[in-house]
Amino acid sequence: MKKSISTKVCCFLVSLLRGISQVILQKNALSGALFLFGVAVNSITMAIGVLVGVISSTIIAHIKHYPVNDIEEGLFGYNGALIGVVIFSLYAPSSLTVFLIIAGSALTVLIMRLMMIHFPLPAYTAPYILVIWVIWAMAPALNLEPATTSMSEKISTWGIFEGIGQIIFQNNAITGACFLLGIFISNKLHALWGIISGLFATLLAELLSLSTTLILAGIFGYNASLCAIALTSRSKQWLAPLVGSALTVPIAMAFINAGIIVLTAPFVLSSWAILLLKKRFSLTY
């Protein structure tokens, strides 16, 4: 039986919101709405970027006739949402940056599908990281105008809310609270681990005497939170998310010292490392 137009529109909107929620590894439309609202509280421009990215990537997934269940769960949308928010975080809005969001979001869909089929580990945010790295490397040649305030310059003293907010590259405490509420509505354990791991990574960074500016900007907290949420989804034990969270700190510093934009690469690499160890040595944690 064919779906009515109103049902199709409703399903599409739900898949968009789920795509936004999948940025923080949730599958909940209400959570996605809270995440989008949180971004809008801090920056209407970046919220528009999120929408352009998630809409573009979801439409491309439909055009390519990728699995409907995966589309409806938002698995093809979240990398596009991240493309949109990060490009508008780094570069001033223009016709070129809008084009890059649309094209970059479409490319993440193709990469995501390839990884789903051929890669033995969860793709997480790897598709968007690869695309943003290419755009970031090409930025000087494209004469992209920097955004008014770059991500690295955003500093706050709101602690854990700053770290949670930086998961979608926001520097607003209210935004961070919206994100945390969205996670809590979807999964209370994820919300708890998001707080624990963010604080743990921040304390570790302080013990290692890392840059106070980076610590206050939440650079170390958000990757740890994502890693813990990802790993606790695959195990009810505490060791994997805790070790994974700790591992994100030196990985983040390695990228910073190499002059490479960090994004969510520490979360992805740390999660992959823990999952590979588990698979290699048949560990249960």
Side-chain angles (χ1 to χ4, degrees):
M1 185 176 178
K2 289 186 176 180
K3 295 180 180 178
S4 66
I5 297 296
S6 60
T7 301
K8 288 181 178 179
V9 171
C10 183
C11 288
F12 183 73
L13 292 175
V14 169
S15 65
L16 293 182
L17 291 174
R18 284 180 176 170
I20 297 170
S21 75
Q22 290 281 8
V23 170
I24 315 183
L25 304 168
Q26 306 304 307
K27 188 188 74 173
N28 186 296
L30 178 56
S31 298
L34 279 167
F35 296 165
L36 180 61
F37 174 76
V39 175
V41 166
N42 187 53
S43 170
I44 294 295
T45 300
M46 283 190 271
I48 292 171
V50 169
L51 287 173
V52 173
V54 73
I55 291 171
S56 300
S57 53
T58 303
I59 288 174
I60 291 297
H62 277 292
I63 291 173
K64 296 292 290 182
H65 300 292
Y66 288 158
V68 174
N69 286 342
D70 290 343
I71 297 173
E72 291 182 346
E73 289 183 4
L75 296 180
F76 291 107
Y78 69 92
N79 279 289
L82 283 166
I83 290 286
V85 74
V86 171
I87 285 183
F88 278 165
S89 294
L90 292 172
Y91 309 111
S94 67
S95 57
L96 178 55
T97 51
V98 171
F99 170 77
L100 289 173
I101 290 173
I102 295 171
S105 298
L107 186 55
T108 65
V109 174
L110 305 180
I111 297 171
M112 184 68 174
R113 183 58 178 161
L114 286 174
M115 293 187 75
M116 283 178 165
I117 297 171
H118 301 292
F119 195 65
L121 296 170
Y124 294 132
T125 55
Y128 117 86
I129 293 169
L130 294 173
V131 172
I132 288 294
W133 277 347
V134 171
I135 293 172
W136 177 69
M138 294 171 56
L142 295 173
N143 292 318
L144 293 177
E145 183 182 343
T148 304
T149 305
S150 69
M151 287 185 290
S152 62
E153 293 172 335
K154 295 175 178 177
I155 303 171
S156 170
T157 56
W158 283 81
I160 186 60
F161 290 116
E162 176 69 10
I164 297 293
Q166 286 286 9
I167 292 177
I168 314 184
F169 306 102
Q170 306 303 303
N171 69 324
N172 188 296
I174 297 175
T175 297
C178 288
F179 292 175
L180 189 58
L181 177 60
I183 299 169
F184 182 83
I185 287 171
S186 177
N187 189 307
K188 295 176 178 60
L189 183 61
H190 286 180
L192 178 62
W193 268 111
I195 295 171
I196 292 172
S197 57
L199 287 172
F200 177 64
T202 300
L203 289 173
L204 180 59
E206 289 181 350
L207 287 173
L208 294 173
S209 299
L210 301 181
S211 167
T212 302
T213 299
L214 295 177
I215 293 172
L216 291 177
I219 296 301
F220 301 107
Y222 76 89
N223 274 291
S225 294
L226 282 171
C227 185
I229 290 170
L231 294 174
T232 199
S233 296
R234 293 175 168 266
S235 172
K236 299 303 179 183
Q237 302 300 317
W238 59 270
L239 185 58
L242 204 60
V243 173
S245 299
L247 190 56
T248 62
V249 175
I251 293 175
M253 278 310 303
F255 278 102
I256 291 168
N257 291 334
I260 299 172
I261 187 171
V262 177
L263 304 175
T264 53
F267 142 61
V268 173
L269 294 176
S270 181
S271 299
W272 283 352
I274 297 298
L275 293 176
L276 283 173
L277 283 172
K278 181 179 179 180
K279 187 175 182 179
R280 174 67 178 82
F281 297 104
S282 300
L283 298 175
T284 56
Y285 36 65

